Amino acid sequence: TTASWDFVGLKKGKRAKRNPSIESDTIIGVMDSGINPLSDSFSDKGFGPPPKKWKGVCQGSKHFSCNNKVIGARNYTPRIKGVPHSAIDNMGHGSHTASTAAGNAVKDVSFYGLANGTARGGVPAARIAVYKVCDPCIKGCTTDGILSAFDDAIGDNVDLITISIGDDKGLPFHEDTIAIGAFHAMAKGILTVNAAGNSGPELSTVTSVAPWIFTVGASNTNRAFVTKAVLGDGKTVGRSVNSFDLKGTKYPVVYGKTASSNCDAASAAFCSPGCLDRKLVSGKIVLCDSVQNVEEAKYMGAVASIARSRRTDTALVFSFPVTALSGPAYDVVLSYINSTKNPIAAVLKSETIFNQKAPVIASYSSRGPNPIIPDILKPDITAPGTEIIAAYSPSVPPSIADTRHLKYSILSGTSMSCPHVAGVAAYIKTFHPRWSPSMIQSAIMTTAWPVNASTLMPEFASGAGHVNPLAAVHPGLVYEASKSDYIAFLCGLNYTGKNLRLISGESRTCTKAQSKSLPRNLNYPSMTAQVPATKPFKVTFRRTVTNVGTSNTTYKAKVVGSKLNVEVIPDEFSLKSKHEKKSFTVTVSGKGLGGGELVASSQLIWSDGFHFVRSPIVVYAAN
Amino acid sequence: AKNDQDKQVYIVYMGALPARVDYMPMSHHTSILQEATGESSIESRLVRNYKRSFNGFAAWLTESERQILANTEDVVSVFPSKTLKLQ
C-alpha cells in the first residue's frame, strides 16, 4: 500500500478530499485470519471512542485487547488443544487485508529497504471490526464459522464487509455461505466485497458469483520488483522479492538435473524434495525448473537459486536469494551453463522499477464468464493485488522456511485487491452515507478506468475496469438494485419456494412477472449475455438509472469499441431533479459469434458532458 | 459407504428470524436438534447458533439426522460445512 493507493489516485493527506468525521464513524468488518493488534497500522492514537451505532464486542481472548481503532474482535475458529484460542492473526493475511482497507498511515514502511513509503488503508480514519474465521490449524476457513461471522457483523452494525476468502469453484447460491450471508448483509444496507479467486488465467474460474456481492479481480501497480541474475557472460532479469544482498558475488552454478544421485533427471531438474545431493549443490547457485521446490536447494546448502516460473508477473518472497525467470529467460541460463565449463552467476538484491504498462490484470486473477449465472459479468472490478506491502504478523515468517520476522510484508492475490475495493467503497460511503450497497457498487463500476486489453477477453478478466476512487464519488448516474430486485432475479432463475427462502431468508412466492424476468434484466451496471454459438442473435437489456448528480441535465448515450450492433432507446434523456429515474433498453444484435471470435464487447457511456457513466456490454458464445 | 454413525458439521439454515417478539432462537434450535437426534443433551452436538441477523445453527450430525432435520418444518436447508481458503 506504499504505492497502491497513490496508483489508484487516492493520495495521502490533503491531496484527496476526505470527510474525516464520517470516516471516523465508518466500521469495516474484516472476515479473515484475525489481526495483529500491536501493529502500528492498528494503533488508536488520535481516535475517539467507537461510533455510537457500534453494537459489537471485544472477544478476541484475554491476550487480545481492542482499542479505539480495532473496536471489536470475535473468533470463530475451533478450539484446538495446546493452541491459544484468540483473534490474533497467526497467518499475517488478516492483518494485511485489514490494514489495506482501513489501516492507519504509517511512515517509513519497507521490506528490508524495498518498497519504502507510507503504508495506509483506503480509509485510515475508519474503525475495524475483526471476525476471525481462518486459522492455519484448520487449514482454511470453515463455512459454519463464516456464516456466524456474517450473523454477528450484520448485528454489530458494520458499514461494510471485506472477505478475501473463497471456494475452489463457483457454487450455486444455496450452497454458497458467503452468498447467503452477503444477501442478509445487503438487505441491511451492508455491501460485501469479495475476492474473485486466484485460478486465472483460465476462463470461468471466478468463485464469487452472486450479483449482490462486489467481486474483485487483481492487477499490478506501476511499481514492480525485479531481481537480476548476472551470468558469467552477461545478465538477465527475473522476478522475486529478494532482500538478501550477496554483494554481487558470483558463485558456481549447477543445474538440479545434474545435481542428483538418487532421482530421475526430470524430478531432479525440478529440485524435487529428496533429490538434490548436498555435496553437489552446497555453496552454489542451483537452477530449478520450478519455483515450487527452491527451498530444497536451500536445505541442501545452496547460496541461491534461479528458477523457472510460469507466472513472472508476480514477485514472490523467498527465504533465501531466488530469482524467478520466464521460460525463455530460463532457457538462456540453461544454454549458458551447457556451453560453459565452469558457469558462474550472481543473484542480486531486488530493486523496484517503474512499470509503465500498469495496470495489467494479474495472470492468477480468476476469470469470467460467470460459471453459475452466465448473464452476470464477474469479476465486477479490478484493483491492485500484486506485490502489496501491508501489515503482517511478526510471529509468522514471510515465506516457507523463513527465519525473518516482519511487521510489514509483501503478498499477492485477489485477497489483496479485495480490501482495496472495500477501502474505496468505504471512502465513497463517507461522501454518501445513505447510499445502498448497489449504488456504491454501481458508482465504482461505472467510473472505472478501462484496462488495457492485454488479454484475449479483457472484460472476463477485469469486469468494468480498474477502480478509480475519486471519480466514483461523483458517478452522475447509478444503477440501483434493491432486495426485491434480487428476489425477482432469483425468481427468474427458478428459485422458488424453499430455495428462494434459502437465499432470501423469507417465505415469499414469486409473482408471474418475477418468474418471467430474465437474469440479464437485473439492474446491474454491466450487461452480459451468453448467446448460441454461430447463430444470429438479438438480446435486450432493460436498465434504469437514478440521477445522483446535478439537476436539470441531459444525458446522451454513446456506444464505443463495438463490433456489435447496439441500439439504445432512448439514447438521450433529461433529468430535472436529483434521484429522478430514467429507463432505457439496450438491444444488441449480430450475425453470430464464432470463427475464432467467441466474445464481442463494447461500452455504453451515458454522458452529460461532465459525468461519464460507463458500462461494459459483453456477448459471448455458449461453450 | 459412509457409516451412518459418522458425524460431520452441518449448517442447519432456517432463513430469516421470525418477527415475533417472544421468539427465542436458541431454545428453538435446541428443541429441534433434540428431536432430530433423540438426545436430551445436545451440548456436544451444537457447534454454533445463528440468531442475530438470520436463523439457524451448526451441529454435528449423522446422515440420517441430517435427513430428519431437512424435512423439519422451519428448516430451509441442511448442508455440510466445508473449508474455504484465503485468496
Side-chain angles (χ1 to χ4, degrees):
Chain A
T1 60
T2 56
S4 58
W5 287 115
D6 278 346
F7 179 66
V8 299
L10 200 54
K11 311 278 184 187
K12 66 183 169 189
K14 289 176 182 170
R15 289 159 70 201
K17 196 179 164 195
R18 295 270 175 187
N19 224 335
S21 61
I22 299 177
E23 191 170 315
S24 178
D25 278 348
T26 302
I27 306 164
I28 313 279
V30 183
M31 295 180 186
D32 211 294
S33 62
I35 205 169
N36 166 25
L38 303 176
S39 170
D40 292 342
S41 291
F42 311 124
S43 123
D44 69 349
K45 196 176 169 189
F47 282 85
K52 283 180 184 163
K53 65 184 178 190
W54 173 239
K55 291 180 183 170
V57 293
C58 187
Q59 288 177 340
S61 84
K62 61 182 177 183
H63 303 296
F64 187 106
S65 299
C66 292
N67 59 24
N68 287 331
K69 174 74 183 177
V70 180
I71 58 174
R74 297 177 187 268
N75 184 7
Y76 305 93
T77 60
R79 288 178 190 277
I80 292 169
K81 209 174 176 184
V83 179
H85 190 250
S86 85
I88 290 173
D89 180 9
N90 298 319
M91 301 176 92
H93 190 280
S95 305
H96 205 279
T97 57
S99 68
T100 299
N104 297 327
V106 181
K107 284 181 184 170
D108 297 322
V109 162
S110 74
F111 188 92
Y112 292 97
L114 298 168
N116 187 278
T118 299
R120 60 197 163 92
V123 278
R127 319 297 180 115
I128 293 167
V130 179
Y131 300 89
K132 179 173 174 176
V133 290
C134 312
D135 196 78
C137 291
I138 51 168
K139 293 180 180 161
C141 333
T142 62
T143 53
D144 61 281
I146 290 169
L147 203 54
S148 256
F150 272 102
D151 188 32
D152 280 329
I154 298 164
D156 289 347
N157 240 353
V158 302
D159 289 290
L160 204 127
I161 292 166
T162 179
I163 174 164
S164 293
I165 294 169
D167 209 319
D168 290 326
K169 56 178 183 167
L171 294 171
F173 300 144
H174 57 278
E175 293 174 27
D176 184 344
T177 27
I178 297 177
I180 292 170
F183 192 97
H184 288 279
M186 173 275 300
K188 290 278 167 64
I190 302 163
L191 177 64
T192 300
V193 187
N194 188 204
N198 297 336
S199 301
E202 285 72 27
L203 292 174
S204 213
T205 47
V206 62
T207 60
S208 174
V209 295
W212 51 86
I213 296 176
F214 202 7
T215 306
V216 189
S219 67
N220 59 0
T221 70
N222 55 7
R223 182 187 65 199
F225 291 81
V226 293
T227 305
K228 288 176 184 164
V230 183
L231 306 180
D233 67 347
K235 67 184 170 188
T236 188
V237 172
R239 300 273 278 141
S240 72
V241 180
N242 176 32
S243 66
F244 303 99
D245 191 356
L246 300 175
K247 310 282 184 196
T249 308
K250 288 196 169 76
Y251 293 90
V253 183
V254 62
Y255 188 16
K257 193 176 184 177
T258 58
S260 177
S261 48
N262 55 349
C263 285
D264 60 80
S267 301
F270 279 99
C271 301
S272 301
C275 284
L276 299 180
D277 189 329
R278 183 178 289 276
K279 284 180 199 158
L280 298 174
V281 303
S282 186
K284 296 178 183 170
I285 292 173
V286 180
L287 296 192
C288 298
D289 282 359
S290 164
V291 290
Q292 297 287 331
N293 303 319
V294 289
E295 303 300 335
E296 185 65 13
K298 183 191 170 193
Y299 295 141
M300 292 298 137
V303 287
S305 178
I306 298 172
R308 184 199 295 269
S309 176
R310 212 163 53 90
R311 296 190 194 276
T312 47
D313 63 344
T314 305
L316 302 175
V317 176
F318 296 95
S319 66
F320 75 123
V322 174
T323 186
L325 305 184
S326 64
Y330 186 77
D331 289 341
V332 169
V333 182
L334 284 181
S335 169
Y336 163 70
I337 65 160
N338 287 332
S339 62
T340 311
K341 197 175 176 190
N342 295 306
I344 53 167
V347 174
L348 305 186
K349 185 178 175 178
S350 293
E351 52 191 295
T352 55
I353 58 162
F354 182 76
N355 181 9
Q356 211 170 4
K357 288 181 183 170
V360 174
I361 308 303
S363 63
Y364 59 78
S365 187
S366 286
R367 275 26 180 201
N370 189 324
I372 305 296
I373 312 295
D375 288 0
I376 295 290
L377 185 66
K378 290 281 175 177
D380 293 306
I381 194 82
T382 310
T386 298
E387 298 157 17
I388 305 297
I389 184 164
Y392 203 68
S393 292
S395 60
V396 186
S399 72
I400 299 164
D402 212 322
T403 53
R404 295 172 295 179
H405 298 279
L406 299 155
K407 289 180 177 176
Y408 290 84
S409 191
I410 295 167
L411 294 176
S412 296
T414 52
S415 272
M416 284 64 242
S417 58
C418 173
H420 275 95
V421 170
V424 173
Y427 177 72
I428 307 304
K429 196 156 184 176
T430 65
F431 293 94
H432 309 287
R434 291 183 186 168
W435 278 13
S436 67
S438 66
M439 292 169 85
I440 295 169
Q441 179 172 347
S442 174
I444 295 172
M445 286 174 70
T446 61
T447 56
W449 303 331
V451 178
N452 287 338
S454 61
T455 56
L456 197 60
M457 300 179 184
E459 287 82 4
F460 290 145
S462 66
H466 205 262
V467 67
N468 182 2
L470 298 190
V473 175
H474 306 290
L477 304 172
V478 289
Y479 295 84
E480 282 187 84
S482 64
K483 182 180 169 184
S484 57
D485 293 322
Y486 291 119
I487 285 172
F489 162 83
L490 290 167
C491 290
L493 291 171
N494 291 325
Y495 275 84
T496 52
K498 211 170 180 180
N499 280 338
L500 178 61
R501 193 178 156 205
L502 174 63
I503 306 300
S504 70
E506 292 177 11
S507 303
R508 283 198 193 210
T509 49
C510 298
T511 64
K512 260 189 180 174
Q514 284 176 327
S515 298
K516 283 183 182 170
S517 69
L518 296 170
R520 67 168 174 266
N521 285 332
L522 176 69
N523 202 31
Y524 212 59
S526 59
M527 296 167 213
T528 306
Q530 188 188 50
V531 296
T534 69
K535 287 182 183 168
F537 61 88
K538 186 175 182 180
V539 287
T540 301
F541 302 93
R542 296 177 204 285
R543 292 292 185 271
T544 300
V545 285
T546 306
N547 182 22
V548 292
T550 46
S551 306
N552 297 316
T553 184
T554 299
Y555 276 88
K556 287 180 183 174
K558 193 175 163 189
V559 177
V560 295
S562 184
K563 289 179 183 171
L564 297 163
N565 298 317
V566 180
E567 189 179 26
V568 184
I569 300 174
D571 61 0
E572 183 177 333
F573 53 74
S574 295
L575 295 156
K576 287 180 183 159
S577 60
K578 241 184 167 181
H579 308 300
E580 190 179 341
K581 291 177 189 288
K582 289 285 177 187
S583 295
F584 61 92
T585 60
V586 177
T587 304
V588 184
S589 57
K591 287 180 181 168
L593 300 167
E597 198 161 15
L598 299 173
V599 62
S601 66
S602 53
Q603 314 276 334
L604 167 65
I605 303 170
W606 284 105
S607 180
D608 61 354
F610 179 69
H611 302 98
F612 295 88
V613 188
R614 201 172 60 88
S615 287
I617 305 169
V618 182
V619 176
Y620 66 102
N623 302 316
Chain B
K2 226 173 172 184
N3 187 336
D4 185 50
Q5 295 312 304
D6 287 345
K7 294 186 191 79
Q8 72 173 103
V9 176
Y10 284 92
I11 293 166
V12 182
Y13 179 63
M14 298 165 69
L17 282 163
R20 298 196 320 263
V21 281
D22 61 341
Y23 180 72
M24 295 163 76
M26 287 173 76
S27 62
H28 188 199
H29 301 163
T30 302
S31 70
I32 59 175
L33 187 54
Q34 283 170 333
E35 205 163 300
T37 60
E39 294 169 10
S40 57
S41 172
I42 46 87
E43 277 170 18
S44 62
R45 297 295 203 102
L46 194 62
V47 178
R48 52 184 96 244
N49 299 93
Y50 310 118
K51 58 185 189 297
R52 296 180 70 196
S53 307
F54 44 86
N55 203 4
F57 59 92
W60 288 96
L61 302 171
T62 63
E63 172 57 25
S64 58
E65 290 162 351
R66 183 199 72 79
Q67 285 176 18
I68 293 168
L69 277 165
N71 293 322
T72 302
E73 207 186 339
D74 299 327
V75 171
V76 180
S77 168
V78 187
F79 52 98
S81 178
K82 58 195 289 192
T83 304
L84 305 187
K85 60 182 185 183
L86 292 162
Q87 301 284 15

